[in-house]
Amino acid sequence: MQKEPGEALVSLCQEQTALSKEDISVLYHLQRNLQHFADLAGADIFIDVLTREAGIAVVVAEAKPGTARSLYKGSVVGQQAIQCNEPAVFQTFETGEPVPNMQGTSQEGYPISQTVIPIKNELNKSIGVLIMERDNSVQVRQEKTMEFLSKTTQKLTDTLLSQTEVGEVLPTLIHDALFIVDARKKIVYANYVAHKLLLGLTKGLNPVSIDIDQLIHQVPELEPIFSKDFDAQELNVQGDTVLVRSLPIIEGTEVRGTVYLLKDITELRKKEKQLIAKSVAIKEIHHRVKNNLQTIASLMRLQMRRVKNKEVSAAFQESINRISCIALVHDIISRDTSESIELKECLQRIGNILTQSMLSPEQKINIEVRGSAFRIPSDQATPTSIVANELLQNSLKHAFPDQMEGEILVLVEEAEHHIKLVIHDNGKGFPNGFNKETNAHLGLQITHALVWESLGGKIKMYNHAGAVVEIEFPKWGAEKNETVTDYCGR
């Protein structure tokens, strides 16, 4: 049967050490707080005491941190430590002084940082040591990396300032224009790309072996490149855009020269400007389409007011709502910086348009949109919005014929590569014997066509405390060959 930590400490001290009862009592009371020390420090904490045998100590207590990874898989209580393996422990026993941050290796092979402090009794005599061991692997890796980088930097410095080696190595490694300038501001090396870049500017002048001041005098446009040091800067040189980087060559505390890297990014910036111009043009097109659709809706609204027949007037209103829905999508795209829209926001705005246009002031029918906020491509947004518009129109028109109040819940969910749209009202529900294939009016026919053909999804309609319509379709841009649940059994 395993002993309690305090019992194990007392037993080991009595069996293997010459400590008095009073000294063991000091260690016992310290051991009771050991776990707090370990959690606070995020390190393994141990108590070691000397055995009766010279040069050997024994672990009488331990605590593993609950706030960090322990260095030890099992318990080390009862294990002995010898002087050659634990020099910091025995140094503290001998001197009575703490040993901070001693680098070493744990019993399981981990690089550790070990701090040892003495435990003293009332007579100021060391009766044990308190050991804190922390994983030091990250620091060791960082030190090795810094050592490697330091050696690499020194080798690179020597290579860059050695013209014979530079000419052989750099052409295969550097694809940008490269200049090496020594401490006297003299160009000691220019690669082939640098010669080619400056060929037109220098009019055949070889930039190697001349001073920077001479080069700038010949080609004043180059002054911004060599006039100051910067990590990265885009400069305009005779109509071309050049990206310039400067790297000092340092040996010890002395700056021995500077490396200049130049890259012609003129074509890249031109293409970026073209893309921005195209993006602006596309947004302007969306904006104009939205305006044209709103104009059409306004004309239809004027015509509707002249119609006396209620059925014709209702058909006009449904068409106006469809046009307004499409205009809304174009409006969102024209204002957004990306080629996608947030579906939840779009559905909420469609609901607001419909309640304002279809409800009388006395009716209090609320459309609530719930679910996660995510974006869908603009090409998919239009059919999705029209489907939602048709279903919400259907609920507002048929679900509450004799009611002044009602609730319509729109739930949107994104499940990996699919989108699920649920519209649930608390109205009278679908009539008995309703068949979505034979009883569907124009709005539902539009819905079925868009869901099956445009969105590649499935639709399910049923009653559950009102009418429920569930639609699931793949999110465009998801992995190909994904299939959706067949709600219709088709």
Side-chain angles (χ1 to χ4, degrees):
M1 183 175 178
Q2 189 174 6
K3 296 181 180 180
E4 291 294 325
E7 295 177 359
L9 181 146
V10 173
S11 177
L12 287 168
C13 288
Q14 291 174 343
E15 293 172 2
Q16 301 188 34
T17 75
L19 296 174
S20 65
K21 290 182 179 180
E22 291 77 12
D23 292 341
I24 295 174
S25 177
V26 172
L27 298 177
Y28 176 82
H29 286 91
L30 179 62
Q31 175 273 331
R32 294 175 62 181
N33 294 309
L34 217 57
Q35 188 61 53
H36 299 301
F37 300 156
D39 291 341
L40 183 63
D44 291 283
I45 305 292
F46 306 95
I47 296 177
D48 281 18
V49 296
L50 291 174
T51 64
R52 295 187 181 92
E53 190 174 350
I56 296 178
V58 63
V59 182
V60 296
E62 68 176 356
K64 297 180 180 180
T67 55
R69 182 178 67 88
S70 174
L71 296 170
Y72 298 88
K73 295 179 180 179
S75 174
V76 295
V77 172
Q79 294 186 12
Q80 293 183 337
I82 58 178
Q83 188 166 0
C84 62
N85 292 336
E86 299 280 359
V89 171
F90 288 89
Q91 180 179 335
T92 300
F93 274 122
E94 292 174 2
T95 64
E97 298 294 332
V99 178
N101 299 321
M102 174 73 76
Q103 306 300 312
T105 304
S106 70
Q107 295 180 3
E108 298 187 6
Y110 294 107
I112 61 172
S113 173
Q114 186 183 68
T115 296
V116 184
I117 62 174
I119 304 171
K120 298 184 178 182
N121 59 15
E122 293 181 352
L123 301 176
N124 201 34
K125 177 184 177 182
S126 295
I127 59 175
V129 292
L130 191 65
I131 306 169
M132 179 182 74
E133 293 183 356
R134 182 180 283 114
D135 185 355
N136 199 35
S137 55
V138 174
Q139 182 178 345
V140 171
R141 286 197 299 269
Q142 290 176 342
E143 289 176 352
K144 289 182 178 179
T145 301
M146 291 302 297
E147 182 181 0
F148 170 77
L149 291 176
S150 178
K151 291 180 179 179
T152 302
T153 301
Q154 184 60 48
K155 178 63 177 177
L156 181 61
T157 299
D158 295 339
T159 301
L160 290 175
L161 294 176
S162 173
Q163 296 184 50
T164 57
E165 293 183 16
V166 166
E168 298 172 358
V169 178
L170 289 183
T172 61
L173 299 179
I174 305 296
H175 301 287
D176 296 339
L178 182 144
F179 294 91
I180 300 177
V181 179
D182 63 15
R184 299 170 298 171
K185 292 189 176 183
K186 185 176 182 179
I187 299 176
V188 296
Y189 176 78
N191 66 353
Y192 171 76
V193 183
H195 278 281
K196 186 177 179 181
L197 180 66
L198 297 181
L199 184 62
L201 298 174
T202 59
K203 299 178 181 179
L205 177 67
N206 185 357
V208 179
S209 300
I210 66 173
D211 296 335
I212 292 294
D213 294 338
Q214 291 178 317
L215 182 61
I216 293 174
H217 179 74
Q218 293 281 343
V219 189
E221 291 85 354
L222 297 180
E223 182 177 5
I225 295 176
F226 299 103
S227 61
K228 60 180 180 179
D229 296 335
F230 29 67
D231 294 331
Q233 180 75 32
E234 291 185 17
L235 301 174
N236 187 280
V237 180
Q238 290 191 349
D240 293 333
T241 304
V242 179
L243 178 64
V244 182
R245 294 185 177 91
S246 64
L247 309 170
I249 303 174
I250 301 175
E251 183 176 10
T253 59
E254 180 185 357
V255 178
R256 296 182 59 187
T258 305
V259 176
Y260 292 94
L261 291 171
L262 283 67
K263 186 172 185 178
D264 188 349
I265 57 172
T266 305
E267 291 301 318
L268 176 63
R269 291 295 176 258
K270 285 182 179 179
K271 289 179 180 179
E272 287 180 353
K273 290 179 180 179
Q274 291 173 358
L275 288 174
I276 293 172
K278 287 181 180 180
S279 177
V280 172
I282 290 172
K283 291 185 181 301
E284 178 62 24
I285 291 172
H286 282 294
H287 179 70
R288 293 187 180 187
V289 170
K290 182 262 297 186
N291 288 343
N292 291 337
L293 289 171
Q294 287 180 338
T295 301
I296 294 172
S298 298
L299 293 173
M300 293 181 67
R301 197 172 289 110
L302 289 173
Q303 185 66 37
M304 180 182 69
R305 291 171 184 168
R306 295 175 177 269
V307 175
K308 304 298 182 181
N309 189 298
K310 290 185 178 180
E311 291 185 2
V312 176
S313 180
F316 264 110
Q317 185 60 62
E318 289 180 3
S319 297
I320 292 170
N321 289 338
R322 293 182 185 115
I323 294 172
S324 298
C325 172
I326 299 172
L328 171 64
V329 175
H330 285 283
D331 181 51
I332 293 174
I333 297 172
S334 69
R335 297 172 185 272
D336 207 323
T337 56
S338 63
E339 288 298 316
S340 63
I341 70 169
E342 187 181 298
L343 181 58
K344 184 179 177 182
E345 176 193 357
C346 182
L347 295 178
Q348 187 65 66
R349 292 178 64 177
I350 291 172
N352 294 338
I353 291 173
L354 294 178
T355 53
Q356 291 172 9
S357 63
M358 296 185 65
L359 299 181
S360 63
E362 297 80 16
Q363 287 181 294
K364 296 181 180 178
I365 298 175
N366 181 51
I367 298 178
E368 181 182 2
V369 182
R370 296 181 189 171
S372 55
F374 57 90
R375 306 181 74 87
I376 62 173
S378 57
D379 292 343
Q380 194 174 25
T382 299
T384 304
S385 300
I386 295 175
V387 167
N389 175 78
E390 295 300 330
L391 294 175
L392 289 172
Q393 278 195 134
N394 189 65
S395 290
L396 290 171
K397 185 176 180 181
H398 301 289
F400 313 100
D402 303 317
Q403 298 174 234
M404 301 304 293
E405 296 182 357
E407 295 288 335
I408 302 175
L409 173 63
V410 182
L411 180 64
V412 285
E413 295 178 350
E414 183 183 30
E416 199 167 344
H417 302 305
H418 295 88
I419 296 172
K420 186 174 182 180
L421 175 64
V422 180
I423 297 180
H424 182 194
D425 65 59
N426 64 347
K428 68 175 186 177
F430 296 110
N432 294 331
F434 175 79
N435 186 302
K436 61 179 177 296
E437 303 289 347
T438 59
N439 299 112
H441 53 72
L442 178 61
L444 287 181
Q445 290 175 3
I446 293 174
T447 299
H448 292 156
L450 290 175
V451 171
W452 289 332
E453 298 175 13
S454 297
L455 295 175
K458 303 297 180 181
I459 184 170
K460 179 181 180 182
M461 298 180 176
Y462 60 92
N463 286 328
H464 179 72
V468 182
V469 181
E470 293 184 4
I471 298 171
E472 186 174 353
F473 53 91
K475 183 176 180 180
W476 292 359
E479 294 181 8
K480 295 183 178 179
N481 301 324
E482 288 284 343
T483 58
V484 298
T485 303
D486 190 346
Y487 283 123
C488 302
R490 289 168 61 112

